[in-house]
Amino acid sequence: MTTPDPARRQVHLVAHFPGVNSATVWSDPASGSQIDFASFRHFARTAERGLFDYVFLAEGLRLREHGGRIHDLDVAGRPATLAILAAMASVTRNIGVVGTLTSTFNEPTELARQLATIDHLSGGRVGWNVVTSPDAFHGANFRRGGFLPYAERYTRAEEFVALAKALWDSWEAGAILADREAGRFVDPERVHRVRHRGPQFDVAATSTVPRSPQGYPVIVQAGDSPAGRDFAAANAEIIFSRHTGYADGQQFYRDVKGRLPAAGRDEDSLLILPGASFALGDTDAEARERAREISLAQTSPQTAVAWVEAIWGRALPGLDPDGRLPDAEPGEGEQRQGQVSTRVEDRIARAAELRARAEAERLTVRELVAAETAHHTFVGSPATIAAEIDRYVQGRASDGFVLVPHLTPGGLDEFVDRVVPLLQERGVFRTEYAVDPVTGANPTLRRTLGLPEPQRPDSARYRPEGGPGDASAAESVPEDAAVPEEVPA
Ligand SMILES: Cc1cc2nc3c(=O)[nH]c(=O)nc-3n(C[C@H](O)[C@H](O)[C@H](O)COP(=O)(O)O)c2cc1C
């Protein structure tokens, strides 16, 4: 084990709890529960043993459906994010805990309070992955039903995050006096009400929670459109991306980092971490064989048929997973709901492409689906995978990876045991967390990530005599600053 080499870009690693979905091999005898606390504890502690930056949860607000029925790969459930973050924080000490929570269906004051609370309980180790949620299928879960028009989802996200930050910043340092002699606990002059009027929210709120040890939770974003990228450049400190190819990753990296100067930010204030899966073996050949086995295990006969039906947009009764693709042409219906990746623009062209591949490679339906959905980013021996991760980071194709193992909860263990030491030997991965040598205090998540702590806005902005500050930023201001009656559009 060597110390990190300051001349080389450092790798960031995130552990994505796999739960149960189409990439998880739940039928493997080594697979455990996706909901028992023991699974979350094992996974979070393994990631902490591997000195990962944080452990991560995606969010699914509604069980997927296929052909109007619950899609079985979601039946096992998707437990709620905040409770799991708190639980994982309580059994770890230094690693960050980051959860996905939609800005489309939550309310800012309540969500800001929940996140700030866990940020305090964990010693400043929390992050929030702000997503805008995919569609009206999920929207039907909520009070207003339906969905927002696409563009409005990002304007709502902007307003949501601005309001959350105003609340998180609304307690000044030193607001808690705890002065026994004077009998004063809080200095009310230093706790500011936030008055916000905007197209999405009209709120007069006070935060019930002081600023956290890292200021406020780290903001993560996952969304790929130009609007999503602009939102990230203005608001996020991390992007969870889908761009796992090397050249594609470099292009995405340049694009997003190129948007930062317009937002007054520098390159290192935003980290780009694509999702990645891996198949390890003692040798590269053994790893390739293992990757093939995993893809086949991920594609049960039922999964293969459901995948083809989702592309074909219709039920295909009698389709043999060990036989050929159907002769019938695709329909126009939506067979699958709640899964963005199965939507197809031109079904007939896609069907022709699949038929051509199956014929050329002499593949059965199941083999074809396994080949089409195989998405291991890293396949090889520990040395090969460590070298590959290092290449991506030095080549600015990413700042590291969000690793998604195929087994819950033990799928990360071999990566921690076999690949992490090799990254450390290369001098590109930490060999310890930055625990305070005097107090023993844990590092905040921002510190672990090497991100600057957010500066609290100048207190003058919070006082009537200081004026409202920048009027263009006055959509979300403390109530005791002058607030315009109407927020300019
Ligand atoms: C890598 C990645 C992960 C995502 N994870 C989630 C998730 O866990 N839950 C969710 O509701 N949406 C998730 N989304 C969806 C985004 O929030 C967003 O709704 C979607 O990508 C459409 O926005 P876009 O057009 O800007 O990409 C994810 C998107 C990406 C790219």
Side-chain angles (χ1 to χ4, degrees):
M1 203 186 277
T2 54
T3 49
D5 178 349
R8 296 177 64 74
R9 297 179 69 77
Q10 295 295 298
V11 171
H12 294 278
L13 290 178
V14 174
H16 187 316
F17 185 83
V20 167
N21 55 57
S22 52
T24 321
V25 184
W26 62 267
S27 54
D28 189 301
S31 163
S33 166
Q34 95 301 339
I35 195 162
D36 279 359
F37 179 53
S39 287
F40 292 103
R41 184 173 52 211
H42 178 94
F43 193 74
R45 284 186 172 166
T46 305
E48 185 164 64
R49 183 162 62 78
L51 304 174
F52 276 43
D53 293 68
Y54 59 88
V55 51
F56 176 73
L57 301 173
E59 178 179 69
L61 291 169
R62 187 171 172 187
L63 295 180
R64 288 172 190 159
E65 291 180 14
H66 186 87
R69 303 179 64 192
I70 301 300
H71 181 44
D72 81 333
L73 286 178
D74 263 356
V75 166
R78 290 184 166 201
T81 301
L82 288 165
I84 305 170
L85 292 188
M88 289 194 302
S90 74
V91 292
T92 52
R93 223 188 123 63
N94 296 308
I95 192 167
V97 291
V98 178
T100 302
L101 291 146
T102 179
S103 57
T104 299
F105 303 118
N106 284 300
E107 290 294 324
T109 308
E110 181 53 19
L111 187 58
R113 183 166 86 113
Q114 301 279 354
L115 284 164
T117 301
I118 306 177
D119 210 15
H120 273 282
L121 296 181
S122 64
R125 292 189 281 137
V126 166
W128 169 28
N129 181 28
V130 186
V131 294
T132 54
S133 297
D135 54 27
F137 173 76
H138 295 84
N141 266 0
F142 297 93
R143 184 164 62 96
R144 295 182 187 87
F147 205 52
L148 290 173
Y150 185 83
E152 267 182 53
R153 285 156 52 197
Y154 277 112
T155 51
R156 180 179 165 104
E158 291 269 0
E159 213 181 311
F160 198 121
V161 171
L163 178 48
K165 285 182 179 173
L167 284 160
W168 288 329
D169 278 335
S170 63
W171 286 54
E172 287 183 36
I176 299 180
L177 303 171
D179 183 340
R180 286 195 184 89
E181 272 164 35
R184 296 176 72 208
F185 185 70
V186 166
D187 178 354
E189 295 294 309
R190 296 193 202 173
V191 180
H192 303 278
R193 291 191 194 90
V194 174
R195 179 74 182 101
H196 175 97
R197 278 199 199 105
Q200 294 288 335
F201 307 108
D202 185 347
V203 170
T206 46
S207 171
T208 57
V209 191
R211 224 164 172 261
S212 87
Q214 60 171 349
Y216 51 70
V218 172
I219 304 291
V220 184
Q221 182 268 2
D224 205 24
S225 59
R229 295 178 190 199
D230 281 339
F231 172 75
N235 299 284
E237 292 155 282
I238 294 175
I239 297 185
F240 174 31
S241 102
R242 290 201 177 106
H243 298 273
T244 38
Y246 189 78
D248 175 37
Q250 280 183 319
Q251 200 179 18
F252 181 75
Y253 195 97
R254 269 196 305 273
D255 178 296
V256 174
K257 299 240 176 177
R259 292 171 197 250
L260 291 173
R265 301 176 61 189
D266 65 56
E267 194 201 349
D268 294 331
S269 64
L270 175 72
L271 302 174
I272 296 179
L273 306 177
S277 57
F278 57 90
L280 268 166
D282 287 344
T283 62
D284 289 352
E286 192 186 301
R288 278 194 295 276
E289 179 52 26
R290 196 152 169 231
R292 207 184 63 81
E293 284 166 16
I294 295 169
S295 315
L296 268 180
Q298 285 166 332
T299 317
S300 68
Q302 298 88 323
T303 301
V305 170
W307 190 86
V308 175
E309 286 183 334
I311 304 279
W312 255 249
R314 58 196 269 189
L316 296 166
L319 178 64
D320 177 4
D322 296 318
R324 298 175 55 247
L325 284 172
D327 292 324
E329 286 301 344
E332 289 302 316
E334 275 306 340
Q335 186 70 0
R336 180 76 57 86
Q337 288 194 285
Q339 189 171 0
V340 183
S341 60
T342 53
R343 266 184 219 135
V344 187
E345 291 300 326
D346 183 345
R347 294 179 188 282
I348 294 184
R350 181 77 174 120
E353 187 183 274
L354 291 172
R355 282 196 189 103
R357 180 169 187 189
E359 204 159 307
E361 298 177 35
R362 306 177 75 78
L363 301 174
T364 65
V365 165
R366 187 171 171 215
E367 288 165 343
L368 174 75
V369 175
E372 285 283 323
T373 54
H375 53 251
H376 286 108
T377 319
F378 300 114
V379 177
S381 66
T384 299
I385 292 185
E388 198 53 5
I389 289 177
D390 191 9
R391 183 172 79 96
Y392 269 75
V393 171
Q394 304 315 319
R396 288 181 158 80
S398 82
D399 291 306
F401 289 94
V402 176
L403 293 176
V404 196
H406 68 275
L407 278 183
T408 305
L412 196 65
D413 297 49
E414 59 179 344
F415 188 95
V416 165
D417 293 332
R418 303 183 72 188
V419 182
V420 166
L422 300 182
L423 290 169
Q424 290 167 329
E425 270 174 28
R426 290 174 162 267
V428 294
F429 193 63
R430 68 178 65 84
T431 53
E432 58 187 0
Y433 287 112
V435 175
D436 188 301
V438 179
T439 64
N442 65 270
T444 64
L445 177 55
R446 263 203 188 76
R447 173 106 204 263
T448 297
L449 290 163
L451 293 168
E453 198 166 297
Q455 291 302 307
R456 199 179 156 276
D458 188 342
S459 288
R461 208 181 143 227
Y462 286 77
R463 296 210 177 92
E465 63 270 25
D470 178 0
S472 65
E475 290 187 348
S476 196
V477 295
E479 194 178 51
D480 39 4
V483 182
E485 270 309 298
E486 294 297 330
V487 172

